[in-house]
Structure formats: C-alpha cells, structure tokens
Amino acid sequence: MSLNHQDDPAKRARLRWRARRGLLENDLILTRFLDANEEAMSDDEVDAFSRLMDLSDNDLMDLLLIRKEPEAAVDLPHVHALLKKLRSA
C-alpha cells in the first residue's frame, strides 16, 4: 500500500521543495498557499500542484495572474480547480 500525500512526510517535503521557484512572486504565492492549505490538500490537489510545478516559472506566473489558461497536460478539471484556489490565495 502506498502512502498518500498526507501520510508521507517525504512526499510533503518534496512538494514544498518543488514550490521553491526562481521568480519571487511565484515563490511567495505558492508558499503562502501551502502554509494555509497543505495539510488539507486532497490527492487530486497534490497532483494538480505537481503538474503546475512542472511548468516554467513564466508559464506558471501567467496562469497565476490569469494572463493565460491551462493548456495541454495541465488543462484538466482538478488543475483548473486548484488554480482558482491559488489565484484567490
């Protein structure tokens, strides 16, 4: 049985590490969001967050600031739902 995000300290640490970004604005938004929501995040939200962390800093910033909407591998309902939460954080 594999542990879900909430039960595995290594997975939680990895998620927080991936949130450290080159652009300070991204770093601040993501860290603030994790500080407030990490313990309550569902596995779908963790998956969406991980998919967003695969993007370049500039593409991520465009999504967070609503300059663009998700495309291709991140154009999924659970990514849209997480982006809505991130944008209001």
Side-chain angles (χ1 to χ4, degrees):
M1 177 174 103
S2 67
L3 295 173
N4 70 23
H5 170 74
Q6 299 306 338
D7 297 331
D8 187 343
K11 285 183 180 180
R12 290 178 67 170
R14 192 174 311 116
L15 188 69
R16 193 162 279 274
W17 176 256
R18 291 192 70 202
R20 295 176 48 130
R21 306 302 291 206
L23 283 175
L24 178 61
E25 294 86 351
N26 282 346
D27 197 38
L28 292 172
I29 292 168
L30 298 172
T31 300
R32 185 179 311 131
F33 178 81
L34 286 176
D35 287 347
N37 299 287
E38 180 184 12
E39 291 181 15
M41 287 174 74
S42 69
D43 288 339
D44 277 348
E45 289 173 325
V46 171
D47 178 71
F49 195 91
S50 295
R51 288 174 185 272
L52 291 172
M53 294 306 97
D54 288 339
L55 298 173
S56 72
D57 280 338
N58 289 329
D59 287 341
L60 179 59
M61 179 56 62
D62 286 345
L63 290 173
L64 293 173
L65 296 180
I66 318 173
R67 293 181 192 149
K68 292 187 347 186
E69 289 299 323
E71 300 173 346
V74 293
D75 188 11
L76 301 165
H78 65 295
V79 174
H80 284 271
L82 183 67
L83 268 174
K84 185 176 179 180
K85 286 184 173 184
L86 282 164
R87 288 169 174 169
S88 66

Coordinates of all heavy atoms in Angstrom, one line a residue:
M1 N 0.8 -1.2 0.0 CA 0.0 0.0 0.0 C 0.9 1.2 0.0 O 1.8 1.4 0.8 CB -0.9 0.0 1.3 CG -1.7 1.2 1.4 SD -2.9 1.0 2.8 CE -2.0 2.0 4.0
S2 N 0.7 2.1 -0.9 CA 1.5 3.4 -1.0 C 0.8 4.4 -0.1 O -0.4 4.5 -0.1 CB 1.6 3.9 -2.4 OG 0.4 4.3 -2.9
L3 N 1.6 5.2 0.5 CA 1.1 6.3 1.4 C 0.6 7.4 0.5 O 1.2 7.8 -0.5 CB 2.2 6.8 2.3 CG 2.7 5.8 3.3 CD1 3.9 6.3 4.1 CD2 1.6 5.4 4.3
N4 N -0.5 8.1 1.0 CA -0.9 9.3 0.3 C -0.1 10.4 0.8 O 0.7 10.3 1.7 CB -2.4 9.5 0.4 CG -2.9 9.9 1.8 OD1 -2.1 10.4 2.6 ND2 -4.1 9.7 2.1
H5 N -0.3 11.6 0.2 CA 0.5 12.8 0.5 C 0.5 13.1 2.0 O 1.5 13.4 2.5 CB -0.1 13.9 -0.4 CG 0.5 15.3 0.0 ND1 1.8 15.6 -0.3 CD2 0.0 16.3 0.7 CE1 2.0 16.8 0.2 NE2 0.9 17.3 0.8
Q6 N -0.7 13.1 2.6 CA -0.8 13.5 4.0 C -0.1 12.6 4.9 O 0.3 13.0 6.0 CB -2.3 13.6 4.4 CG -3.0 14.7 3.5 CD -2.4 16.0 3.5 OE1 -1.6 16.4 4.4 NE2 -2.7 16.8 2.5
D7 N 0.0 11.3 4.6 CA 0.6 10.3 5.5 C 2.1 10.1 5.3 O 2.7 9.4 6.0 CB -0.1 8.9 5.2 CG -1.5 9.0 5.6 OD1 -1.9 9.7 6.5 OD2 -2.3 8.2 5.0
D8 N 2.7 10.8 4.3 CA 4.1 10.6 4.0 C 4.9 11.9 4.1 O 4.8 12.7 3.2 CB 4.2 10.0 2.5 CG 5.6 9.6 2.2 OD1 6.6 10.0 2.8 OD2 5.8 8.9 1.2
P9 N 5.7 12.0 5.2 CA 6.4 13.2 5.4 C 7.4 13.5 4.2 O 7.6 14.7 3.9 CB 7.2 13.0 6.7 CG 6.5 11.8 7.3 CD 5.9 11.0 6.3
A10 N 7.9 12.5 3.6 CA 8.9 12.7 2.4 C 8.1 13.4 1.3 O 8.6 14.3 0.6 CB 9.5 11.4 2.0
K11 N 6.9 12.9 1.0 CA 6.1 13.5 -0.1 C 5.8 14.9 0.2 O 5.8 15.8 -0.7 CB 4.8 12.7 -0.3 CG 5.1 11.3 -1.0 CD 3.8 10.6 -1.3 CE 4.0 9.3 -2.0 NZ 2.8 8.6 -2.3
R12 N 5.4 15.2 1.5 CA 5.1 16.6 1.8 C 6.3 17.5 1.7 O 6.2 18.6 1.2 CB 4.6 16.6 3.3 CG 3.2 16.0 3.3 CD 2.6 16.0 4.7 NE 2.3 17.3 5.1 CZ 1.7 17.6 6.2 NH1 1.2 16.7 7.0 NH2 1.5 18.9 6.5
A13 N 7.5 17.0 2.1 CA 8.7 17.8 2.0 C 9.0 18.1 0.5 O 9.4 19.1 0.1 CB 9.8 17.1 2.7
R14 N 8.9 17.0 -0.3 CA 9.2 17.1 -1.7 C 8.2 18.2 -2.4 O 8.7 19.0 -3.2 CB 9.0 15.8 -2.4 CG 9.5 15.7 -3.8 CD 9.5 14.3 -4.4 NE 10.0 13.3 -3.5 CZ 9.3 12.3 -2.9 NH1 8.0 12.1 -3.2 NH2 9.9 11.4 -2.1
L15 N 7.0 18.2 -2.0 CA 6.0 19.1 -2.6 C 6.4 20.6 -2.2 O 6.5 21.5 -3.1 CB 4.6 18.8 -2.1 CG 3.5 19.7 -2.7 CD1 3.3 19.2 -4.1 CD2 2.2 19.5 -1.9
R16 N 6.8 20.8 -1.0 CA 7.2 22.1 -0.5 C 8.5 22.5 -1.2 O 8.7 23.7 -1.6 CB 7.4 22.1 1.0 CG 7.5 23.6 1.5 CD 7.2 23.6 3.0 NE 5.8 23.6 3.3 CZ 5.1 24.7 3.4 NH1 5.6 25.9 3.1 NH2 3.8 24.7 3.7
W17 N 9.4 21.6 -1.4 CA 10.7 21.9 -2.1 C 10.4 22.3 -3.6 O 11.0 23.3 -4.1 CB 11.6 20.7 -2.1 CG 12.9 20.9 -2.8 CD1 13.2 20.4 -4.1 CD2 14.0 21.8 -2.4 NE1 14.4 20.9 -4.4 CE2 14.9 21.7 -3.5 CE3 14.2 22.6 -1.3 CZ2 16.1 22.4 -3.4 CZ3 15.4 23.3 -1.3 CH2 16.4 23.2 -2.3
R18 N 9.5 21.6 -4.2 CA 9.2 21.9 -5.6 C 8.5 23.3 -5.7 O 8.6 23.9 -6.8 CB 8.3 20.9 -6.2 CG 9.0 19.5 -6.4 CD 8.2 18.6 -7.2 NE 8.2 19.0 -8.6 CZ 7.3 18.7 -9.5 NH1 6.3 17.8 -9.1 NH2 7.4 19.1 -10.7
A19 N 7.9 23.8 -4.7 CA 7.2 25.1 -4.7 C 8.3 26.2 -4.7 O 7.9 27.4 -4.9 CB 6.3 25.2 -3.5
R20 N 9.5 25.9 -4.3 CA 10.5 27.0 -4.4 C 10.9 27.3 -5.8 O 11.3 26.5 -6.5 CB 11.8 26.5 -3.6 CG 11.5 26.3 -2.2 CD 12.7 25.7 -1.5 NE 13.9 26.5 -1.9 CZ 14.8 27.0 -1.0 NH1 14.7 26.7 0.3 NH2 15.8 27.7 -1.4
R21 N 10.6 28.5 -6.2 CA 10.7 28.9 -7.6 C 11.7 30.0 -7.8 O 12.1 30.7 -6.8 CB 9.4 29.4 -8.1 CG 8.2 28.4 -7.9 CD 8.5 27.1 -8.6 NE 8.5 27.2 -10.0 CZ 8.2 26.2 -10.8 NH1 7.8 25.1 -10.4 NH2 8.2 26.4 -12.1
G22 N 12.2 30.2 -9.0 CA 13.1 31.3 -9.4 C 12.5 32.6 -9.3 O 13.2 33.6 -8.9
L23 N 11.3 32.7 -9.7 CA 10.6 34.0 -9.6 C 10.0 34.2 -8.2 O 9.2 33.4 -7.7 CB 9.4 34.1 -10.6 CG 9.8 34.3 -12.0 CD1 8.5 34.3 -12.9 CD2 10.4 35.7 -12.2
L24 N 10.4 35.3 -7.5 CA 10.0 35.6 -6.2 C 8.5 35.6 -6.0 O 7.9 35.1 -5.1 CB 10.6 36.9 -5.7 CG 10.2 37.3 -4.3 CD1 10.6 36.3 -3.2 CD2 10.8 38.7 -3.9
E25 N 7.8 36.2 -7.0 CA 6.3 36.3 -6.9 C 5.7 34.9 -6.9 O 4.8 34.6 -6.1 CB 5.8 37.0 -8.2 CG 6.2 38.5 -8.2 CD 7.5 38.7 -8.9 OE1 8.3 37.7 -9.2 OE2 7.9 39.9 -9.1
N26 N 6.2 33.9 -7.7 CA 5.7 32.6 -7.7 C 6.0 31.9 -6.3 O 5.1 31.3 -5.7 CB 6.3 31.7 -8.8 CG 5.8 31.9 -10.1 OD1 4.7 32.5 -10.3 ND2 6.5 31.4 -11.1
D27 N 7.2 32.1 -5.9 CA 7.6 31.6 -4.6 C 6.7 32.0 -3.4 O 6.2 31.2 -2.6 CB 9.0 31.9 -4.3 CG 9.7 31.1 -3.2 OD1 9.4 29.9 -3.2 OD2 10.5 31.6 -2.5
L28 N 6.4 33.3 -3.4 CA 5.5 33.9 -2.4 C 4.1 33.3 -2.4 O 3.5 33.0 -1.4 CB 5.5 35.4 -2.5 CG 6.8 36.1 -2.1 CD1 6.7 37.6 -2.4 CD2 7.2 35.9 -0.7
I29 N 3.5 33.3 -3.6 CA 2.2 32.8 -3.8 C 2.1 31.3 -3.4 O 1.2 30.9 -2.6 CB 1.7 33.0 -5.3 CG1 1.5 34.5 -5.6 CG2 0.4 32.2 -5.5 CD1 1.4 34.8 -7.1
L30 N 3.0 30.5 -3.9 CA 3.0 29.1 -3.6 C 3.2 28.8 -2.1 O 2.5 27.9 -1.5 CB 4.0 28.3 -4.5 CG 3.7 28.5 -6.0 CD1 4.8 27.9 -6.8 CD2 2.4 27.8 -6.4
T31 N 4.2 29.4 -1.5 CA 4.5 29.2 -0.1 C 3.3 29.6 0.8 O 2.9 28.9 1.7 CB 5.8 30.0 0.3 OG1 6.9 29.5 -0.6 CG2 6.1 29.7 1.7
R32 N 2.7 30.8 0.5 CA 1.6 31.2 1.2 C 0.4 30.2 1.1 O -0.2 29.9 2.1 CB 1.1 32.6 0.7 CG 0.0 33.2 1.6 CD -0.4 34.6 1.1 NE 0.7 35.5 0.9 CZ 0.9 36.2 -0.2 NH1 0.0 36.2 -1.2 NH2 1.9 37.0 -0.3
F33 N 0.2 29.7 -0.1 CA -0.9 28.8 -0.3 C -0.6 27.5 0.5 O -1.5 27.0 1.2 CB -1.0 28.4 -1.8 CG -2.1 27.4 -2.0 CD1 -3.4 27.7 -2.1 CD2 -1.7 26.1 -2.2 CE1 -4.4 26.8 -2.3 CE2 -2.7 25.1 -2.4 CZ -4.0 25.4 -2.5
L34 N 0.6 27.0 0.4 CA 1.0 25.7 1.1 C 0.9 25.9 2.6 O 0.4 25.0 3.4 CB 2.4 25.2 0.8 CG 2.5 24.6 -0.6 CD1 3.9 24.2 -0.9 CD2 1.6 23.4 -0.7
D35 N 1.3 27.1 3.1 CA 1.2 27.4 4.6 C -0.2 27.3 5.1 O -0.5 26.7 6.1 CB 1.8 28.7 4.9 CG 3.3 28.8 4.8 OD1 4.0 27.8 4.7 OD2 3.8 29.9 4.8
A36 N -1.1 27.7 4.2 CA -2.5 27.8 4.7 C -3.3 26.5 4.3 O -4.3 26.1 5.0 CB -3.2 28.9 4.0
N37 N -2.8 25.7 3.3 CA -3.7 24.6 2.8 C -3.0 23.2 2.7 O -3.7 22.3 2.5 CB -4.2 25.0 1.4 CG -5.0 26.2 1.4 OD1 -6.1 26.2 1.8 ND2 -4.4 27.3 0.9
E38 N -1.7 23.2 2.9 CA -1.0 21.9 2.7 C -1.7 20.7 3.4 O -1.9 19.6 2.8 CB 0.4 22.0 3.0 CG 1.2 20.7 2.7 CD 2.6 20.8 3.1 OE1 3.0 21.7 3.8 OE2 3.4 19.8 2.8
E39 N -1.9 20.9 4.7 CA -2.4 19.7 5.5 C -3.8 19.2 5.0 O -4.1 18.1 5.3 CB -2.4 20.1 7.0 CG -1.1 20.3 7.5 CD -1.1 20.6 9.0 OE1 -2.1 20.5 9.6 OE2 0.0 21.1 9.5
A40 N -4.6 20.1 4.4 CA -5.9 19.7 3.9 C -6.0 19.3 2.5 O -7.1 19.0 2.0 CB -6.9 20.8 4.2
M41 N -4.9 19.4 1.7 CA -4.9 19.1 0.3 C -5.3 17.7 0.0 O -4.7 16.8 0.6 CB -3.6 19.5 -0.3 CG -3.3 20.9 -0.5 SD -1.6 21.3 -1.1 CE -1.8 20.9 -2.8
S42 N -6.2 17.5 -0.9 CA -6.5 16.1 -1.4 C -5.4 15.6 -2.3 O -4.6 16.4 -2.8 CB -7.9 16.2 -2.1 OG -7.7 16.9 -3.4
D43 N -5.5 14.3 -2.6 CA -4.6 13.8 -3.6 C -4.7 14.4 -5.0 O -3.7 14.6 -5.7 CB -4.7 12.2 -3.7 CG -4.2 11.5 -2.4 OD1 -3.4 12.1 -1.7 OD2 -4.6 10.4 -2.2
D44 N -5.9 14.7 -5.4 CA -6.1 15.4 -6.7 C -5.5 16.8 -6.6 O -4.9 17.2 -7.6 CB -7.6 15.6 -7.0 CG -8.2 14.4 -7.6 OD1 -7.5 13.4 -8.0 OD2 -9.5 14.3 -7.7
E45 N -5.6 17.5 -5.5 CA -4.9 18.8 -5.4 C -3.4 18.7 -5.5 O -2.7 19.5 -6.1 CB -5.4 19.6 -4.2 CG -6.8 20.0 -4.3 CD -7.4 20.6 -3.0 OE1 -7.0 20.1 -1.9 OE2 -8.2 21.6 -3.1
V46 N -2.9 17.7 -4.8 CA -1.5 17.5 -4.8 C -1.0 17.1 -6.3 O 0.0 17.6 -6.7 CB -1.0 16.3 -3.9 CG1 0.4 15.9 -4.0 CG2 -1.3 16.8 -2.4
D47 N -1.8 16.3 -7.0 CA -1.5 16.0 -8.4 C -1.5 17.3 -9.2 O -0.6 17.5 -10.0 CB -2.4 15.0 -8.9 CG -2.1 14.7 -10.4 OD1 -1.1 14.0 -10.6 OD2 -2.9 15.1 -11.3
A48 N -2.5 18.1 -9.0 CA -2.6 19.3 -9.8 C -1.4 20.3 -9.5 O -0.8 20.9 -10.4 CB -3.9 20.0 -9.5
F49 N -1.1 20.4 -8.2 CA 0.1 21.2 -7.8 C 1.3 20.7 -8.4 O 2.1 21.5 -9.0 CB 0.2 21.2 -6.3 CG 1.0 22.2 -5.7 CD1 0.5 23.5 -5.3 CD2 2.4 22.1 -5.5 CE1 1.3 24.5 -4.8 CE2 3.2 23.0 -5.0 CZ 2.6 24.3 -4.6
S50 N 1.5 19.4 -8.4 CA 2.7 18.8 -9.0 C 2.8 19.1 -10.5 O 3.9 19.4 -11.1 CB 2.8 17.3 -8.8 OG 2.9 17.0 -7.4
R51 N 1.7 19.0 -11.2 CA 1.6 19.3 -12.6 C 2.0 20.8 -12.9 O 2.7 21.1 -13.8 CB 0.3 19.0 -13.2 CG -0.1 17.5 -13.3 CD -1.5 17.3 -13.8 NE -1.9 15.9 -13.8 CZ -1.7 15.1 -14.8 NH1 -1.2 15.5 -15.9 NH2 -2.1 13.8 -14.7
L52 N 1.5 21.6 -12.0 CA 1.9 23.1 -12.2 C 3.3 23.3 -11.9 O 4.0 24.1 -12.6 CB 1.0 23.9 -11.3 CG -0.5 24.0 -11.6 CD1 -1.3 24.7 -10.5 CD2 -0.7 24.7 -13.0
M53 N 3.9 22.5 -11.0 CA 5.4 22.7 -10.7 C 6.2 22.3 -11.9 O 7.4 22.6 -11.9 CB 5.7 21.9 -9.4 CG 5.1 22.4 -8.2 SD 5.3 24.2 -7.8 CE 3.8 24.9 -8.5
D54 N 5.7 21.5 -12.8 CA 6.5 21.1 -14.0 C 6.6 22.2 -15.0 O 7.4 22.1 -15.9 CB 5.8 19.8 -14.6 CG 6.0 18.6 -13.8 OD1 6.9 18.5 -13.0 OD2 5.2 17.6 -14.0
L55 N 5.8 23.2 -14.9 CA 5.8 24.3 -15.8 C 7.0 25.3 -15.5 O 7.5 25.3 -14.4 CB 4.5 25.2 -15.7 CG 3.2 24.4 -16.0 CD1 2.1 25.4 -15.7 CD2 3.2 24.0 -17.5
S56 N 7.4 26.0 -16.5 CA 8.4 27.0 -16.3 C 7.9 28.1 -15.4 O 6.6 28.3 -15.3 CB 8.8 27.7 -17.7 OG 7.8 28.5 -18.2
D57 N 8.8 28.9 -14.8 CA 8.3 30.0 -13.9 C 7.4 31.0 -14.6 O 6.4 31.4 -14.1 CB 9.5 30.7 -13.3 CG 10.1 30.0 -12.1 OD1 9.4 29.2 -11.5 OD2 11.3 30.2 -11.8
N58 N 7.8 31.3 -15.9 CA 7.0 32.3 -16.6 C 5.6 31.8 -17.0 O 4.6 32.5 -16.8 CB 7.7 32.8 -17.9 CG 8.9 33.6 -17.5 OD1 9.0 34.3 -16.5 ND2 10.0 33.6 -18.3
D59 N 5.5 30.5 -17.4 CA 4.2 30.0 -17.7 C 3.4 29.9 -16.4 O 2.2 30.1 -16.5 CB 4.4 28.6 -18.3 CG 4.9 28.6 -19.8 OD1 4.8 29.7 -20.4 OD2 5.4 27.6 -20.2
L60 N 4.0 29.5 -15.3 CA 3.2 29.4 -14.1 C 2.7 30.8 -13.6 O 1.6 30.9 -13.3 CB 4.1 28.8 -13.0 CG 3.5 28.7 -11.6 CD1 2.2 27.8 -11.6 CD2 4.5 28.1 -10.6
M61 N 3.6 31.8 -13.8 CA 3.2 33.1 -13.4 C 2.0 33.6 -14.3 O 1.0 34.2 -13.8 CB 4.3 34.1 -13.5 CG 4.0 35.6 -13.2 SD 3.3 35.8 -11.5 CE 4.6 35.3 -10.5
D62 N 2.1 33.3 -15.6 CA 1.0 33.7 -16.4 C -0.4 33.0 -16.0 O -1.4 33.7 -16.1 CB 1.3 33.3 -17.9 CG 2.3 34.2 -18.5 OD1 2.6 35.3 -18.0 OD2 2.9 33.8 -19.6
L63 N -0.3 31.8 -15.6 CA -1.5 31.1 -15.1 C -2.0 31.7 -13.8 O -3.2 32.0 -13.6 CB -1.3 29.6 -14.9 CG -1.1 28.8 -16.2 CD1 -0.7 27.4 -15.8 CD2 -2.3 28.8 -17.0
L64 N -1.1 32.0 -12.9 CA -1.5 32.6 -11.6 C -2.1 33.9 -11.7 O -3.0 34.3 -10.9 CB -0.3 32.6 -10.6 CG 0.3 31.2 -10.2 CD1 1.6 31.4 -9.4 CD2 -0.8 30.5 -9.4
L65 N -1.6 34.7 -12.6 CA -2.0 36.1 -12.8 C -3.2 36.2 -13.9 O -3.5 37.3 -14.3 CB -0.9 37.0 -13.2 CG 0.2 37.2 -12.2 CD1 1.3 38.1 -12.7 CD2 -0.4 37.7 -10.8
I66 N -3.7 35.1 -14.3 CA -4.8 34.9 -15.2 C -4.5 35.6 -16.6 O -5.3 36.2 -17.2 CB -6.1 35.5 -14.6 CG1 -6.3 35.1 -13.2 CG2 -7.3 35.0 -15.4 CD1 -7.5 35.7 -12.5
R67 N -3.2 35.6 -16.9 CA -2.8 36.0 -18.3 C -3.1 34.9 -19.3 O -3.2 35.2 -20.5 CB -1.3 36.4 -18.3 CG -1.0 37.6 -17.5 CD 0.5 37.8 -17.6 NE 1.0 38.8 -16.6 CZ 2.2 38.8 -16.1 NH1 3.1 37.9 -16.4 NH2 2.5 39.7 -15.2
K68 N -3.1 33.7 -18.8 CA -3.3 32.5 -19.7 C -4.2 31.5 -18.9 O -4.3 31.6 -17.7 CB -2.0 31.8 -20.1 CG -1.1 32.6 -21.0 CD 0.1 31.9 -21.5 CE 0.5 30.6 -20.9 NZ 1.8 30.1 -21.4
E69 N -4.8 30.6 -19.6 CA -5.5 29.5 -19.0 C -4.7 28.2 -19.3 O -3.9 28.2 -20.3 CB -6.9 29.4 -19.6 CG -7.8 30.5 -19.1 CD -8.0 30.6 -17.6 OE1 -8.1 29.5 -16.9 OE2 -8.1 31.7 -17.0
P70 N -4.9 27.2 -18.5 CA -4.2 25.9 -18.7 C -4.4 25.3 -20.1 O -5.5 25.4 -20.7 CB -4.7 25.0 -17.6 CG -5.3 25.9 -16.6 CD -5.8 27.1 -17.4
E71 N -3.3 24.8 -20.6 CA -3.3 24.1 -21.9 C -2.6 22.7 -21.8 O -1.9 22.5 -20.8 CB -2.5 24.9 -22.9 CG -3.1 26.3 -23.2 CD -2.2 27.2 -24.1 OE1 -1.0 26.8 -24.3 OE2 -2.6 28.2 -24.5
A72 N -2.9 21.9 -22.7 CA -2.2 20.6 -22.9 C -2.3 19.8 -21.6 O -3.4 19.5 -21.1 CB -0.8 20.8 -23.4
A73 N -1.1 19.4 -21.0 CA -1.1 18.4 -19.9 C -1.7 19.0 -18.6 O -2.0 18.3 -17.7 CB 0.4 18.0 -19.7
V74 N -1.8 20.3 -18.5 CA -2.4 20.9 -17.3 C -3.9 21.4 -17.5 O -4.4 22.0 -16.6 CB -1.5 22.1 -16.7 CG1 -0.2 21.5 -16.2 CG2 -1.3 23.2 -17.8
D75 N -4.4 21.1 -18.7 CA -5.8 21.5 -19.0 C -6.7 20.4 -18.5 O -7.3 19.6 -19.3 CB -6.0 21.8 -20.5 CG -7.4 22.4 -20.8 OD1 -8.1 22.7 -19.8 OD2 -7.7 22.4 -22.0
L76 N -6.8 20.3 -17.2 CA -7.6 19.2 -16.5 C -8.5 19.9 -15.4 O -8.1 20.9 -14.8 CB -6.7 18.2 -15.9 CG -5.7 17.5 -16.8 CD1 -4.6 16.8 -16.0 CD2 -6.4 16.5 -17.7
P77 N -9.7 19.3 -15.2 CA -10.6 19.9 -14.2 C -9.9 20.1 -12.8 O -10.2 21.2 -12.2 CB -11.7 18.9 -14.1 CG -11.7 18.2 -15.4 CD -10.2 18.1 -15.8
H78 N -9.2 19.2 -12.3 CA -8.6 19.4 -11.0 C -7.5 20.4 -11.0 O -7.3 21.1 -10.0 CB -8.2 18.1 -10.4 CG -7.0 17.3 -11.0 ND1 -7.1 16.8 -12.3 CD2 -5.8 17.0 -10.6 CE1 -6.0 16.2 -12.6 NE2 -5.1 16.4 -11.6
V79 N -6.8 20.7 -12.1 CA -5.8 21.7 -12.2 C -6.6 23.1 -12.2 O -6.1 24.0 -11.5 CB -4.9 21.6 -13.4 CG1 -4.0 22.8 -13.6 CG2 -4.1 20.3 -13.3
H80 N -7.6 23.2 -13.0 CA -8.4 24.4 -13.0 C -8.9 24.8 -11.6 O -8.9 25.9 -11.2 CB -9.6 24.3 -14.0 CG -9.2 24.4 -15.4 ND1 -9.2 25.6 -16.1 CD2 -8.9 23.5 -16.3 CE1 -8.8 25.4 -17.3 NE2 -8.6 24.1 -17.5
A81 N -9.4 23.7 -10.9 CA -9.9 24.0 -9.5 C -8.8 24.4 -8.6 O -9.1 25.4 -7.8 CB -10.5 22.7 -9.0
L82 N -7.6 23.9 -8.7 CA -6.5 24.3 -7.8 C -6.1 25.7 -8.2 O -5.8 26.5 -7.3 CB -5.4 23.3 -7.9 CG -4.2 23.7 -6.9 CD1 -4.6 23.6 -5.5 CD2 -3.0 22.9 -7.2
L83 N -6.0 26.0 -9.5 CA -5.7 27.4 -9.9 C -6.6 28.4 -9.3 O -6.2 29.5 -8.9 CB -5.6 27.5 -11.4 CG -4.3 27.2 -12.1 CD1 -4.5 27.1 -13.6 CD2 -3.3 28.2 -11.7
K84 N -7.9 28.1 -9.3 CA -8.9 29.0 -8.7 C -8.5 29.3 -7.3 O -8.6 30.4 -6.8 CB -10.3 28.4 -8.9 CG -11.4 29.3 -8.4 CD -12.7 28.7 -8.7 CE -13.8 29.7 -8.2 NZ -15.1 29.1 -8.4
K85 N -8.1 28.3 -6.5 CA -7.7 28.5 -5.1 C -6.4 29.3 -5.0 O -6.3 30.1 -4.2 CB -7.6 27.1 -4.4 CG -8.8 26.4 -4.1 CD -8.5 25.1 -3.3 CE -9.8 24.5 -2.9 NZ -9.5 23.3 -2.0
L86 N -5.5 28.9 -5.9 CA -4.2 29.6 -5.9 C -4.4 31.1 -6.2 O -3.7 32.0 -5.6 CB -3.2 29.0 -6.8 CG -2.5 27.7 -6.4 CD1 -1.9 27.0 -7.6 CD2 -1.5 28.0 -5.4
R87 N -5.2 31.4 -7.1 CA -5.5 32.8 -7.6 C -6.1 33.6 -6.5 O -6.0 34.8 -6.4 CB -6.3 32.8 -8.8 CG -5.5 32.3 -10.1 CD -6.5 32.1 -11.2 NE -5.7 31.7 -12.5 CZ -6.3 31.3 -13.5 NH1 -7.6 31.1 -13.6 NH2 -5.6 31.0 -14.6
S88 N -6.9 33.0 -5.6 CA -7.5 33.7 -4.6 C -6.7 33.7 -3.3 O -7.2 34.3 -2.3 CB -8.9 33.1 -4.3 OG -8.8 31.8 -3.8
A89 N -5.6 33.1 -3.2 CA -4.8 33.0 -2.0 C -4.1 34.3 -1.7 O -3.8 35.1 -2.6 CB -3.7 31.9 -2.2

